[in-house]
């Protein structure tokens, strides 16, 4: 990846430098060429005026003296011809040179001068500048200057050297920047890949019967560094998922295996009850209560392990229709089932006005199991005189069932912890395992829904269960 990144940045830098250097070089060459042409054109026009005056006066000595001084001063050849094309003044020009002959002929025909080619450091050593003598109606001869391009080409060459040196310096700076940038980008990537590899090596190896999913690198490819990181991440994710599954399976197996010894222990304790003296009866009843609490705790762990393994639910679903139910009907059933418990706790349970029906993509027994948790908590912890309400609401694609009470509630700092395993509110009385809401949350999430816990002002608690609505059947 570093090589590709460096190549890409280098190509980009080269394009940027060339896009600046090439137009600048051409502009300098064009400007210097135009400067030379304008200067020699002015000299040719001056000689043409002097030649026209010489024709009018019939004396060409002033013209000859001016041409001679120009030739000595600049070292450039000058040719002046009369109307018949005969050389009138010649300062070093070769009258047989085809270029000179063509320039003279064009000027005598009063043709528009051709555009001069852009000068380059390796261009021609001279350039011809021709002007007609006289007006456009009457041409009395021509002037040709064989201008030297040495100085102009030298100026262009020096400017181009400066541009090349500047371009090389810019490319060097770009390369250093590209190397620094590539290291800055790839160093944390390499460190992350190494850290993921170390973490993966420390995780338990996946079981032999586990089928690994298709890797990210196998699906998308990419540079070697990215493929290595993707491979390490895939291995880590696979190992973590397998470890989580193994952990849930261990919890489920342990809870299931311990239920039989606890059941046997309960039977033995029941058989020992007649033989327990009155002085030890309270201790014996306490031991029985602890066994019952431990049994309930194992049942909760087993339920939580099953709730966190969606595949376990798929194995026990018998028919496709069992995955759908009417939330309004389930709420009515739970109201009937819990009325007596709330009445015994000196509380009131009611159902808020609801729609005629609200089908959810959840089995009726699962939704009932989810709702039993907040209903049980309300009846146990809301306090005497509390009012609990069951409400069903629908929205596009979703059905929400809420259990809210105006009881004692919990402290604000404990709201977000209520779905944490084994957490119990500080105001909750003795009893309970702290697994009810985590189990309900796991059951809800396993079916694509969410469970939320919110405080009610001025006091109370609301448990919201939001589940996907069932499609039309």
């Amino acid at each position: 990846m570093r090589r590709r990144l460096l190549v890409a940045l280098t190509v980009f830098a080269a394009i940027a430098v060339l896009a600046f250097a090439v137009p600048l070089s051409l502009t300098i060459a064009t400007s210097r060429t135009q400067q030379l042409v304008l200067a020699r054109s002015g000299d040719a026009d001056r000689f043409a005026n002097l030649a026209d005056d010489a024709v009018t006066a019939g004396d060409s000595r002033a013209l000859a003296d001016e041409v001679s001084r120009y030739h000595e001063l600049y070292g450039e050849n000058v040719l002046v011809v009369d109307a018949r094309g005969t050389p009138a003044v010649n300062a070093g020009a070769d009258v047989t040179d085809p270029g000179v002959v063509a320039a003279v002929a064009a000027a005598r025909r009063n043709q528009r001068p051709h555009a001069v080619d852009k000068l380059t450091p390796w261009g021609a050593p001279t350039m011809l500048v021709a002007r007609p003598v006289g007006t456009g109606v009457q041409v009395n001869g021509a002037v040709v200057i064989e201008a030297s391009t040495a100085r102009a080409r030298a100026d262009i060459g020096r400017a181009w050297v400066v541009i090349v040196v500047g371009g090389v310096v810019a490319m060097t700076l770009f390369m250093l920047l590209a190397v620094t940038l590539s290291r800055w980008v790839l160093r944390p990537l390499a460190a992350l890949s190494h850290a993921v590899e170390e973490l993966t090596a420390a995780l338990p190896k996946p079981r032999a019967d586990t089928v690994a999913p298709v890797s990210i690198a196998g699906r998308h490819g990419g540079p070697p560094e990215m493929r290595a990181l993707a491979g390490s991440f895939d291995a880590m994710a696979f190992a973590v998922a397998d470890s989580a599954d193994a952990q849930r399976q261990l919890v489920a197996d342990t809870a299931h295996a311990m239920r039989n010894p606890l059941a046997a222990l309960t039977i033995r304790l029941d058989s020992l009850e007649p033989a327990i003296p009155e002085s030890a009866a309270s201790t014996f009843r306490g031991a029985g209560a602890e066994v019952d609490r431990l049994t309930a705790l194992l049942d909760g762990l087993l339920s939580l392990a099953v709730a966190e393994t969606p595949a376990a639910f798929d194995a026990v679903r018998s028919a496709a229709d069992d995955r759908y139910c009417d939330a309004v009907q389930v709420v009515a059933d739970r109201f009937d089932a819990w009325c007596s418990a709330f009445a015994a706790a000196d509380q009131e349970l009611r159902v808020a006005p609801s729609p005629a029906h609200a089908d959810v993509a959840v089995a009726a027994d699962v939704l009932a199991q989810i709702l039993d948790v907040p209903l049980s908590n309300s009846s146990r912890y809301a306090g005497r005189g509390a009012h609990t309400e069951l409400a069903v609401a629908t929205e596009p694609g979703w059905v929400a069932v809420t259990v809210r009470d105006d009881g004692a509630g919990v402290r604000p700092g404990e709201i977000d912890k209520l779905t944490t395993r084994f957490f119990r509110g500080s105001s909750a009385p003795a009893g309970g395992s702290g697994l009810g809401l985590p189990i309900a949350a796991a059951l809800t999430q396993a079916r694509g829904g969410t469970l939320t816990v919110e405080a009610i002002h001025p006091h109370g608690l609301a448990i919201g269960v939001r589940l996907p609505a069932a499609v039309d059947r």
Side-chain angles (χ1 to χ4, degrees):
M1 183 176 178
R2 174 175 295 177
R3 185 184 303 109
R4 296 182 181 181
L5 183 60
L6 288 176
V7 170
L9 292 176
T10 302
V11 171
F12 174 77
I15 292 175
V17 170
L18 290 176
F20 174 79
V22 172
L24 180 60
S25 301
L26 297 178
T27 300
I28 291 176
T30 301
S31 176
R32 190 63 181 88
T33 302
Q34 291 177 350
Q35 181 182 356
L36 178 61
V37 170
L38 289 175
R40 296 304 178 264
S41 296
D43 294 339
D45 290 337
R46 184 167 60 86
F47 288 140
N49 291 332
L50 290 174
D52 192 42
D53 293 341
V55 171
T56 303
D59 185 4
S60 62
R61 285 179 296 177
L63 174 63
D65 292 340
E66 190 69 24
V67 169
S68 177
R69 285 195 299 270
Y70 183 88
H71 177 68
E72 292 175 359
L73 181 62
Y74 295 106
E76 296 179 353
N77 302 328
V78 180
L79 174 64
V80 180
V81 300
D82 57 18
R84 296 186 301 273
T86 303
V89 178
N90 186 359
D94 185 4
V95 296
T96 61
D97 183 83
V100 175
V101 173
V104 169
R108 289 178 60 204
R109 291 193 298 270
N110 201 18
Q111 291 182 349
R112 187 180 185 89
H114 297 288
V116 180
D117 293 336
K118 191 186 285 89
L119 293 177
T120 59
W122 51 85
T126 59
M127 61 183 297
L128 297 176
V129 178
R131 288 292 184 272
V133 177
T135 63
V137 178
Q138 180 66 37
V139 176
N140 296 322
V143 176
V144 177
I145 298 178
E146 195 173 3
S148 173
T149 61
R151 177 178 292 182
R153 289 187 292 109
D155 293 342
I156 294 173
R158 285 192 294 270
W160 284 15
V161 169
V162 172
I163 293 174
V164 170
V165 172
V168 171
V169 172
M171 281 296 299
T172 302
L173 294 177
F174 273 125
M175 287 296 297
L176 293 176
L177 180 62
V179 172
T180 303
L181 182 62
S182 63
R183 289 178 178 176
W184 178 70
V185 171
L186 297 179
R187 186 181 293 115
L189 188 64
L192 178 60
S193 179
H194 182 67
V196 172
E197 289 179 358
E198 290 183 347
L199 179 60
T200 305
L203 293 173
K205 300 301 180 184
R207 293 167 293 176
D209 58 343
T210 306
V211 179
V214 179
S215 65
I216 298 175
R219 291 196 305 268
H220 303 289
E225 292 85 354
M226 294 301 297
R227 291 200 302 271
L229 177 60
S232 300
F233 184 83
D234 288 336
M236 181 190 69
F238 181 55
V240 170
D242 187 71
S243 298
D245 291 340
Q247 180 186 19
R248 286 192 290 267
Q249 188 63 41
L250 175 63
V251 172
D253 293 343
T254 302
H256 183 75
M258 293 183 66
R259 292 182 67 185
N260 292 334
L262 283 175
L265 180 60
T266 301
I267 294 174
R268 290 178 181 273
L269 288 175
D270 291 342
S271 64
L272 287 174
E273 185 174 5
I276 300 298
E278 186 64 26
S279 60
S282 60
T283 303
F284 178 80
R285 287 192 296 271
E290 292 298 327
V291 171
D292 293 339
R293 182 173 179 273
L294 183 57
T295 301
L297 180 63
L298 290 177
D299 290 340
L301 287 175
L302 182 60
S303 299
L304 180 62
V306 173
E308 291 180 340
T309 309
F313 293 107
D314 295 334
V316 298
R317 291 172 184 167
S318 58
D321 290 340
D322 293 339
R323 294 196 293 268
Y324 301 90
C325 70
D326 184 358
V328 176
Q329 182 61 47
V330 174
V331 166
D333 293 341
R334 302 329 296 157
F335 172 79
D336 293 336
W338 282 94
C339 268
S340 58
F342 276 83
D346 196 15
Q347 300 176 17
E348 180 185 355
L349 177 64
R350 59 174 178 262
V351 178
S354 303
H357 64 86
D359 292 338
V360 291
V362 175
D365 58 339
V366 175
L367 180 56
Q369 184 179 358
I370 295 173
L371 296 180
D372 282 345
V373 173
L375 289 171
S376 174
N377 289 344
S378 293
S379 65
R380 295 175 62 185
Y381 307 132
R384 298 173 62 88
H387 301 81
T388 302
E389 182 181 73
L390 278 163
V392 180
T394 60
E395 56 184 276
W398 298 92
V399 174
V401 182
T402 306
V403 180
R404 61 172 62 90
D405 63 63
D406 57 359
V410 297
R411 295 178 179 178
E414 298 176 346
I415 292 292
D416 296 335
K417 300 178 182 179
L418 292 180
T419 55
T420 303
R421 299 178 186 180
F422 304 110
F423 178 81
R424 300 178 68 253
S426 57
S427 59
S433 62
L435 292 175
L437 283 177
I439 292 174
L443 289 170
T444 304
Q445 293 172 3
R447 282 150 181 82
T450 55
L451 184 144
T452 57
V453 182
E454 297 179 352
I456 297 178
H457 182 77
H459 52 79
L461 200 65
I463 308 296
V465 178
R466 189 168 181 262
L467 293 166
V471 296
D472 294 338
R473 291 178 287 171

